[in-house]
Amino acid sequence: MALKVGEIITFERTFTVRDVELFTEVSADEGIHHVTPDEQGRLVIQGLLTATLPTKVGGDHNVLARTMNFEFLRPVFTGDTIICEVKIEKYERQEKDRIAIHTSFLCKNQHGKEVLKGNFSGVIL
């Protein structure tokens, strides 16, 4: 395996208004907080848009997801920079010479506040 158990992969992204607009169009998640700015001019990012951070790491390593668990801890706003750390927890041999991967992740905003945590597992293609 290119990735070792215990290894942490980090990905960072700053969310924009355009990101929210595109995700709103695709997901049809048009909650008022996603389309109307708050008193500081920010939109609340859809939870599943925030969840694209750990799934991007899985995609980068050809993981076909089987399970995903998300715990949304606090809102993310346009302009926030989110740092996601995905930890490789374990590998398992599967049928047909496939290897399953199990991970955990933690996402924090630019202030070090936790915004999302969880885990995902899947099969490496």
Side-chain angles (χ1 to χ4, degrees):
M1 291 282 89
L3 299 171
K4 305 292 184 215
V5 171
E7 189 170 346
I8 295 175
I9 303 111
T10 302
F11 179 66
E12 179 177 308
R13 179 174 180 184
T14 302
F15 288 98
T16 67
V17 170
R18 184 69 181 137
D19 294 330
V20 175
E21 291 170 348
L22 290 169
F23 196 81
T24 298
E25 185 178 323
V26 170
S27 69
D29 182 352
E30 299 174 340
I32 193 76
H33 49 293
H34 301 311
V35 297
T36 304
D38 68 5
E39 61 281 346
Q40 296 174 22
R42 308 170 304 172
L43 297 174
V44 175
I45 305 297
Q46 290 93 341
L48 289 179
L49 178 54
T50 306
T52 63
L53 290 157
T55 63
K56 188 251 192 259
V57 171
D60 285 351
H61 296 280
N62 298 314
V63 175
L64 179 62
R66 287 197 171 155
T67 64
M68 296 177 159
N69 296 297
F70 301 107
E71 184 177 350
F72 300 94
L73 304 170
R74 64 176 22 93
V76 174
F77 298 92
T78 50
D80 282 352
T81 298
I82 306 302
I83 300 99
C84 182
E85 294 181 340
V86 176
K87 182 179 180 183
I88 308 305
E89 297 290 346
K90 71 177 182 174
Y91 291 107
E92 290 180 287
R93 286 239 173 252
Q94 302 275 296
E95 298 175 23
K96 300 181 183 180
D97 295 324
R98 298 248 188 215
I99 296 177
I101 186 172
H102 301 271
T103 71
S104 61
F105 60 84
L106 179 62
C107 300
K108 297 179 182 179
N109 66 19
Q110 68 273 16
H111 306 293
K113 304 259 184 181
E114 295 180 1
V115 298
L116 174 65
K117 67 180 181 178
N119 58 66
F120 69 86
S121 64
V123 174
I124 300 173
L125 299 176

